[in-house]
Amino acid sequence: RGRWGGFVPFLGSQKAIVEPHFHFYAPVLSLKDAVYLNGYWQSEKYFIDIADVIREDLNPKIWFSNAYEVLKECVTQCNSVSVHIRRGDYVTHSKANRYFKPCEAEYYQKAIQYLVKFISNPVFFVFSDDIQWAKANFKIDFPTHFVEGNSAQEDLWLMASCGYQIIANSTFSWWGAWLNQQPDKIVIAPQTWFSTKRFDTNDLLPESWIRF
């Protein structure tokens, strides 16, 4: 992907701008059309002014399974909390592990203790790319459902349908929380996103989200 920063020729008359750093880069908002953006651009500040348009554009236009519809009905009929536990390549892949570490059990415990102060009769829905590990290690004194057997798209929209979110240091659960349109939602995210100080994450999370 080359070095960060600056314009480079791309596809003839089109130009590409490479993200100069991880945090919000305001000049990108003044770019004209026909520019290719290369980078993460992981902040809602890039699209907050058109948030409703983004949510509408990302609304699924495909039919999901009957099991999905049944579970969605369940999460919308209770004080549902989605919990995302990301492991996968964070554990098994050395390159990913260099930058990301799975969130510790202590993080989830603190998040739950905080959240239950504000909602009554919570029901937790656990999503994970290692659901067997989650079943063995995620134990709380509240009703808990371990969600499995769905496609990634179904899991994303089930998370977004929950009333509250506890996310991992994962873009997948970031979007699951951001797509939740309930105005009174509470989103809890990890204070430490990367296991390196190379990236400035001050703009990574919306200001209303709570960091633990």
Side-chain angles (χ1 to χ4, degrees), residues 1-8 15-28 31 35-47 194 198-201 203-204:
R1 55 178 286 165
R3 198 170 53 181
W4 283 9
F7 284 94
V8 295
K15 293 190 177 213
I17 180 169
V18 180
E19 187 178 38
H21 44 65
F22 187 77
H23 53 282
F24 178 60
Y25 179 60
V28 76
L31 295 175
V35 173
Y36 178 84
L37 301 178
N38 184 341
Y40 294 99
W41 313 103
Q42 196 167 349
S43 171
E44 73 165 0
K45 291 182 179 180
Y46 290 115
F47 50 82
F194 296 101
R198 174 182 175 186
F199 305 108
D200 180 347
T201 59
D203 299 319
L204 174 62

Side-chain angles (χ1 to χ4, degrees), residues 36 167 170:
Y36 178 84
I167 72 170
S170 160

Side-chain angles (χ1 to χ4, degrees), residues 46-87:
Y46 290 115
F47 50 82
I48 189 61
D49 290 342
I50 56 168
D52 290 342
V53 175
I54 297 293
R55 288 189 172 99
E56 179 60 29
D57 285 348
L58 292 179
N59 231 343
K61 305 297 192 293
I62 59 176
W63 292 99
F64 286 151
S65 67
N66 289 335
Y68 165 86
E69 297 297 343
V70 170
L71 196 51
K72 183 177 179 181
E73 179 73 12
C74 182
V75 303
T76 56
Q77 296 299 316
C78 65
N79 285 328
S80 53
V81 182
S82 74
V83 179
H84 185 232
I85 299 174
R86 170 69 186 271
R87 289 178 58 78

Side-chain angles (χ1 to χ4, degrees), residues 103 107 188-194 201-202 204-205 210-212:
C103 293
Y107 159 71
I188 299 177
Q191 180 73 38
T192 301
W193 198 267
F194 296 101
T201 59
N202 285 332
L204 174 62
L205 304 176
I210 299 162
R211 296 188 187 221
F212 272 119

